[in-house]
Amino acid sequence: MDSRRMIAVIVLVPVLVGLALWAFAWPAARTAPRDLPLGVAGPPAAVAQVEQRLAQREGAFELHRYADEDAARGAIEDRTVYGAVIAGDRGPKLLTASAASPAVAQLLQQAVAGQASAAGSPVQVVDVVPAPGTDPRGAALGASVLPLALAGIATGAVATLLGLRGARAAAALVGAAALTGLVAAAIAHSWLGVVTGDWWAVAGVFGLSTLAVGAGIAGLGALLGRAGLGLGGAVMMLLGNPFSGASSAPEMLPQPAGAIGQWLPPGAGASLLRSVSFFDGAAATGPALTLTWWAALGLCAVLLGGALRQRTQGDSPAPDRAPAPAAAA
């Protein structure tokens, strides 16, 4: 038995390290634009030249044509595109939104300015939706994904390991997530100022993100036991966190990592936080529904697991009782 455990440790640790390196290092090493939504506007002849130059980076951009600069600005504010190139006689103008992703804004400046410089045209850069001055590179917002994931994992695991079942477990998960949302908003919004927008909406996003993770973990634990806790924690940490695209953008990750990340709570939470904080809720429906489904399904699994456990205990036969000793004559 001891030799088997020793072999298991020797094999398991390198496997876990390999999985962690793959999950975290692979997306970081392959960061590049892949069908990144980008708008173009201006006279048809000038737009055609811009599109031709951008098409040289095959597969990098998904181009959207707009009638004029105002329409392109509206698309950026609605989070339909990350930026736009406005073609004109005096050279191109680049519209960016560093609040959507500072990394993408910098990439667009390099790509468009480099091509314009080669053509001998100056480039005017306008940040339509700028990131807050307290977090111009988006580092703090990206760093918030891991603590929220850890908070959700800890909440779900602790509620399960403490033996909370059914409605009590669900109430504990909701209460802990709500308080986590308030604390996170107080730190990120009130103190650090790295997110803006309505305070209560931001707190709601933080709380819903934590609940989605915690309910998912607790739901798997209620149905599968400790194996469910391990499975849920591994998915959130090894897939949800590195595939979230919070530090760049989902379209900057190798596929299908970017798509998978948006179907998991950390990625959906980061996208929803950007929409609520900087874009007045634009494009918030998708990630909000993703988080809601995770939370709802997780809580349903917790309630179901509690009901099944209670039925199993109720149906179990009572232990045999030893016959009472005969009374002394």
Side-chain angles (χ1 to χ4, degrees), residues 190-264:
S190 302
W191 178 34
L192 299 177
V194 297
V195 293
T196 58
D198 182 76
W199 194 94
W200 289 104
V202 170
V205 173
F206 281 131
L208 182 58
S209 300
T210 304
L211 180 60
V213 176
I217 297 292
L220 289 173
L223 297 178
L224 303 178
R226 292 180 181 269
L229 296 179
L231 175 61
V235 169
M236 296 300 174
M237 286 300 298
L238 297 181
L239 297 181
N241 187 49
F243 291 2
S244 67
S247 59
S248 56
E251 294 84 359
M252 295 287 287
L253 301 179
Q255 294 301 326
I260 293 174
Q262 294 306 296
W263 283 101
L264 294 174

Side-chain angles (χ1 to χ4, degrees), residues 275-291:
S275 293
V276 169
S277 298
F278 309 125
F279 294 88
D280 294 328
T285 302
L289 288 176
T290 299
L291 294 176

Side-chain angles (χ1 to χ4, degrees), residues 19-283:
L19 287 174
L21 285 175
W22 165 78
F24 284 86
W26 171 57
R30 296 292 184 268
T31 299
R34 296 170 176 84
D35 293 326
L36 186 76
L38 178 65
V40 290
V47 167
Q49 295 179 359
V50 171
E51 290 179 337
Q52 184 178 8
R53 289 197 296 266
L54 293 174
Q56 295 176 0
R57 302 185 61 168
E58 185 176 356
F61 301 107
E62 179 185 277
L63 300 180
H64 299 250
R65 280 200 180 194
Y66 296 100
D68 51 29
E69 181 177 342
D70 291 338
R73 284 176 175 267
I76 294 173
E77 293 170 351
D78 290 339
R79 300 204 70 187
T80 303
V81 295
Y82 283 91
V85 181
I86 312 301
D89 297 335
R90 298 181 179 179
K93 177 191 292 186
L94 175 63
L95 306 180
T96 64
S98 58
S101 172
V104 171
Q106 184 179 7
L107 168 76
L108 293 178
Q109 291 184 40
Q110 294 174 349
V112 176
Q115 292 180 351
S117 298
S121 302
V123 178
Q124 179 186 359
V125 180
V126 178
D127 198 345
V128 177
V129 187
T134 52
D135 188 28
R137 298 183 180 180
L141 189 145
S144 67
V145 173
L146 180 58
L148 289 177
L150 290 176
I153 293 173
T155 302
V158 169
T160 302
L161 296 177
L162 288 180
L164 297 178
R165 300 287 184 268
R168 290 189 176 184
L173 291 168
V174 173
L179 289 177
T180 300
L182 296 177
V183 171
I187 294 174
H189 191 294
S190 302
W191 178 34
L192 299 177
V194 297
V195 293
T196 58
D198 182 76
W199 194 94
W200 289 104
V202 170
V205 173
F206 281 131
L208 182 58
S209 300
T210 304
L211 180 60
V213 176
I217 297 292
L220 289 173
L223 297 178
L224 303 178
R226 292 180 181 269
L229 296 179
L231 175 61
V235 169
M236 296 300 174
M237 286 300 298
L238 297 181
L239 297 181
N241 187 49
F243 291 2
S244 67
S247 59
S248 56
E251 294 84 359
M252 295 287 287
L253 301 179
Q255 294 301 326
I260 293 174
Q262 294 306 296
W263 283 101
L264 294 174
S271 296
L272 182 59
L273 184 60
R274 288 190 186 278
S275 293
V276 169
S277 298
F278 309 125
F279 294 88
D280 294 328

